[in-house]
Amino acid sequence: MSVKVMIPTPLRVYAGKRDSTEVSAATVGEALSGLTSQFAELRKHLYTEDGKLRAFVNVYLNDEDIRYLAKENTPTKDGDTISIIPSIAGGSSEMPIDF
Amino acid sequence: MSEALELGISAELAEKIREHGIEAYPYECCGALLGTDYEGLANDPNRESRKVSREIISLFPLVNRRDDSPRNRFAVTPDDVREAEKAASAQGLEVIGWYHSHPDHPAKPSDFDRDHAWPWYSYIIVSVHTGVPQDMTSWRLKDDRSGYLEEKISPMKASAAN
């Protein structure tokens, strides 16, 4: 099954400046694996060292957040589009301040 | 990415970021930087004369979505990111980065910032001490995520888009 993966602007430099790529995949996880196999440099910006999607990286299958589907096991079908959208976060010190 | 990173911003827009920092104090403010990345242009007839590698043309202030620790954390949701991208696209621009404030802390990225960043984006930080804006710096995450490169902020004349 051919799935289109949209590559966010900041990561295009690691993907030959392409804005999308087609991968063959039966699940979202397989599609993301296909993406990072094609463009290995992308991997560390999407996944932590222990292989989990980074918390600020959000993945959508045709505009549906995969967290509300079956996460990386969400099945894909021919013609689906996967988008990767970051949440932007940061802060001045290491520990949250409760008050 | 070129060796010399320079981010152009007009005095007016830099002031707007400081004002947002004051307004939000003692909480962190945040927003998107909309502009043009000249390094990414396939054909830039003015490449030789460019003094900066990218330029901020307008801002897209956002609401800090962290309500549990807004004094030292900020968060922008994916929906906000998409709204910022739409706003940029409507102006023929891109989201080239993000700004936020560090209330009562220096304008330097923390490890928390680094864990939540992508390369390529410019991350502007304005330090606000006791409600008064201090240093403004800009940073870009290194390709290997090991740290940041400081990006020089260059004052530019206000663009017509402002």
Side-chain angles (χ1 to χ4, degrees), chain A residues 8 11 32 35-36 42-48 52-57 84, chain B residues 118 145:
Chain A
L11 302 185
L32 294 176
L35 173 72
T36 54
L42 281 177
R43 189 169 176 82
K44 60 178 171 290
H45 303 300
L46 299 179
Y47 291 94
T48 58
K52 292 190 178 133
L53 263 182
R54 291 185 178 277
F56 73 93
V57 172
I84 302 165
Chain B
W118 268 347
R145 308 189 62 84

Side-chain angles (χ1 to χ4, degrees), chain A residues 5-57:
Chain A
V5 184
M6 305 303 295
I7 299 165
T9 307
L11 302 185
R12 288 178 194 163
V13 66
Y14 308 108
K17 298 194 173 174
R18 299 171 67 153
D19 60 7
S20 68
T21 190
E22 295 278 339
V23 294
S24 178
T27 64
V28 170
E30 283 182 23
L32 294 176
S33 288
L35 173 72
T36 54
S37 299
Q38 273 185 45
F39 307 110
E41 286 296 302
L42 281 177
R43 189 169 176 82
K44 60 178 171 290
H45 303 300
L46 299 179
Y47 291 94
T48 58
E49 282 170 12
D50 55 2
K52 292 190 178 133
L53 263 182
R54 291 185 178 277
F56 73 93
V57 172

Side-chain angles (χ1 to χ4, degrees), chain B residues 55-66:
Chain B
E55 183 177 355
I56 301 167
I57 307 294
S58 67
L59 302 176
F60 192 76
L62 289 160
V63 172
N64 182 357
R65 304 289 184 183
R66 274 298 285 257

Side-chain angles (χ1 to χ4, degrees), chain A residues 89-94, chain B residues 28 73-74 100 102 108-118 123 125 141 145 148:
Chain A
S92 59
S93 59
E94 305 320 314
Chain B
E28 294 200 4
R73 289 283 186 269
F74 81 93
H100 71 283
H102 279 182
K108 288 192 174 163
S110 62
D111 283 347
F112 187 84
D113 285 331
R114 183 164 56 86
D115 287 343
H116 294 79
W118 268 347
Y123 292 94
I125 303 176
L141 186 69
R145 308 189 62 84
Y148 284 89

Side-chain angles (χ1 to χ4, degrees), chain B residues 62-134:
Chain B
L62 289 160
V63 172
N64 182 357
R65 304 289 184 183
R66 274 298 285 257
D67 51 13
D68 57 328
S69 184
R71 288 173 68 176
N72 72 342
R73 289 283 186 269
F74 81 93
V76 171
T77 65
D79 285 343
D80 290 332
V81 171
R82 288 207 270 205
E83 285 302 310
E85 285 175 347
K86 267 190 223 160
S89 178
Q91 298 174 58
L93 304 172
E94 286 182 299
V95 174
I96 58 170
W98 306 91
Y99 70 86
H100 71 283
S101 59
H102 279 182
D104 300 316
H105 277 80
K108 288 192 174 163
S110 62
D111 283 347
F112 187 84
D113 285 331
R114 183 164 56 86
D115 287 343
H116 294 79
W118 268 347
W120 191 86
Y121 280 139
S122 292
Y123 292 94
I124 284 185
I125 303 176
V126 60
S127 169
V128 183
H129 276 271
T130 55
V132 181
Q134 311 280 326

